[in-house]
Amino acid sequence: MKKERSRGGKDKGFPLLLSIILVFCVLAVIVFSVAKKLSSEMSASAIQNLSESLDLIQSTIEAIINKDAEFQKIMAQEIAASRDPEEYVREYEKNHTMVKISFLGQGETEGISSTGEVFTEEELDFSLGGTVEGLPFSQSYLNYMGTWAYSMKCPVEKDGREIGALYVEYVYDSLDKSLPDGFYNKKAMLYIMDAKSQRLVLKPKGMGERSAGHLDLEDFYRANNIVDPDLRGEVSRCLEDGDNILFYHDIRGKSALNYMWSVNGGTIYLIGYVPVEAIQQEGRTVNQNILIVVAVMLIAFLLCFLLYSFYQRQQNRLWKEREAEREIHNRQLAEALQAAQIASNSKTMFLSNMSHDIRTPMNAVLGFTTLLSRDAENPVKVREYTKKIMASGQHLLSLINDILDVSKIESGKVVLNFEEFALSDLVASVDAIIRPMAQAKKQGFHVDVTGIKHEYLMGDETRVNQILINLLSNAVKYTQEGGDIWFRIVGLKQRSGQYERVRIEVEDNGYGMTPEYLETIFDAFTRAENSTTNKVQGTGLGMAITKNIVELMGGTIEVSSEVDKGSLFRVELEFRIPEGQTDRQFWENNGIARILAVDKDPEVRDSIQILMKDTGVVVDTASGVEEALGRIREGRNAGYQMILLDWEIPVLGRAAAVEQIREALSCRVPVLFLVSSDEEGTETILELEQVGFLGKPFFASSLKEKILEMQKGQGGEEAPDWEKGETLEGLHFLAAEDNEINGEILAELLEIEGADCEIVENGQLAVERFEKALEGEFDAILMDVQMPVMNGYDATRAIRALSRRDAAKIPIIAMTANAFAEDEKEALDAGMNVHVAKPIDVELLKKAIRQCIKERDQS
């Protein structure tokens, strides 16, 4: 029974399938017939469209030529009305259409052109007989620019008498902008041909691909294999009669419709061809669309039979994909749980380390405070306890600063402050901090700067200084007494002329680090601990902060180390070179045009020449005193205004070397010895006249400051007492401080220094008190930032805005617990002179006050 049903189903399915096939066959015949008819009709229509397009191009060209002729007639009238026709021609400025105009007087053989050359009509051929608006139209020719051109001749009449003729040269390229950018989807080929010379003078843009042989009609024939003599004869006849012609011919193996279309009565022709396939493109497109519709219907019908089986397979595949996604999701949840547990453990470890490191110095502060209250009557112990409390407090402050730095860096809130800074100031500030630390441990501290091309750079000087202090202070901490530390700044090859590429190297021969520790050196709260270094205090955050700052600046940091042999840190950074020119006026005003630098180290000599390159000062070098004397005695390099002499010459020969050089120069030029900061035995040399010292490494700005210092010494000017001393004796300050304890501490510290201050509770009171004060009553204002009523920034702006003469000049110093670089920038932007972070460092405060008052007095 089932077999019969199956057979019956097949019997019913076969006629249905046959019916569908017959329907589609009939549909195919109908579609083929319609498509053929459409193709024929559309081909005829396309030929008509081609003729209309050529007529349109012909009309466009003729309209342009006619307009040019009309304008030329107007120019002829202007020339007739002008007093001097030749002057009119000479003053004419060419445009994209008329590249040259010429005037030839009646009965003359030579005339004048707008290009300034002599004009003769012999260069032009008007024998073709073509005219435009009654003006003769010349045969095409190559002009002086190598461009195909033609000329039209217009008589110039004055008072009914012809006084000459105006010739205007037009280039065919000017027609290009007015022609269509191709037609038949840019598959049609079009040239403009001069009828008489049969040269192709223009191929408009977008009109097919140009063959290298298409220079004239003969080349066109040859390139397109048009060899039939009858066809060529027919074309020649049309050219002679000025008629149009269309003919079919195979071009490069493809059937094409060729054309020759007369323009301007047959003086020029449009020639080219259109592939038949381009003409029939629209018909084929219609046929293709019909076939696509039929094919889509057939495919849709067949898909109905296959849909159910595909549907079942798709359901099975979707089920498997859901299972796979569920497994991936479960795995991701497990990984997220593991990451959360690691983060929780890291947080616990962070809090544990932070708690331990904070409690250690805090325990010392509280413990020694207890002992201080017990032994208050014992001055020796009081001084000892106070010293240890101060050391513990400084360590606690350093820890807090590091934790805040790490937190701010990781939260992405650090903003770099890009300003111009001097590399010499950076090196000097680092040297002033690190050298005393190294000398305290009897360590050698060596500074080298080589290969730097620009002393002034753009960058965040504070953050660079922080990087250097972190690296160098660690080098001092983890190097034994008597060891050596090297600080090098090396100029690398520039990737761009706008950036200085710098490598910073910090090397020591200290305890070194194990390979295991090197893998975690840049993690927070890690320290190299062993029996030698476990007593070294530190937060374990310095390297993490350093790496983050370096990467924030777009740089890299590397470290290599070996136990008991030392470590080497390399940092590479790029700094933008500030715009502007070197101050050459200073050197010219001081009469310094040539310097002789004597140093045994070739890198030092090269560095001096590079850094002095932009100053306009010529720097000659010598490796020793004998070579320097030889240069001077040769006479080629006489006329030095200053000598730079290396300190590393024989001890007994320094004074003698100075005298020999001066004797060879026959004048007592200033001599500066290049010395390192820790050199000894320099006092005796200072007894010589016009002899001084210039610290290594060499910088142009340091030399400039030294010259000014020597001039000031010769003038006999003496610095004020407060500048020479270390105290603030006799100064009177206005302080804005809302915290009573901090105000009391500030007053006591200033009293110790011989100064006094008047304290107000907020910024508003500070503004009112200064406004009522006599001019010069206060030497400076010490301004807190976070205060009630009016904060320090607003108070500073209000003071600067006062109409008093001293309001803009009085030094205002920010003293605040807001210690980040952004806080310092905000203080300076508000009008403050300098920023000093709390807790107050008395020495730093004194230095800032002295500098501000000095700048005020100088201004």
Side-chain angles (χ1 to χ4, degrees), residues 565-585:
K565 290 189 178 180
S567 305
L568 172 62
F569 287 84
R570 284 194 180 97
V571 176
E572 288 193 8
L573 297 170
E574 280 191 332
F575 298 98
R576 189 173 183 85
I577 300 168
E579 297 179 357
Q581 299 180 350
T582 306
D583 182 15
R584 298 193 175 200
Q585 195 66 35

Side-chain angles (χ1 to χ4, degrees), residues 712 717-731 753 846 850 853-854 857:
K712 185 176 179 180
E717 299 178 6
E718 288 200 13
D721 293 338
W722 62 266
E723 186 177 349
K724 292 189 296 183
E726 294 296 327
T727 67
L728 305 175
E729 186 73 35
L731 298 182
E753 299 299 326
K846 288 194 295 184
R850 289 199 300 270
I853 296 177
K854 179 181 178 182
D857 294 343

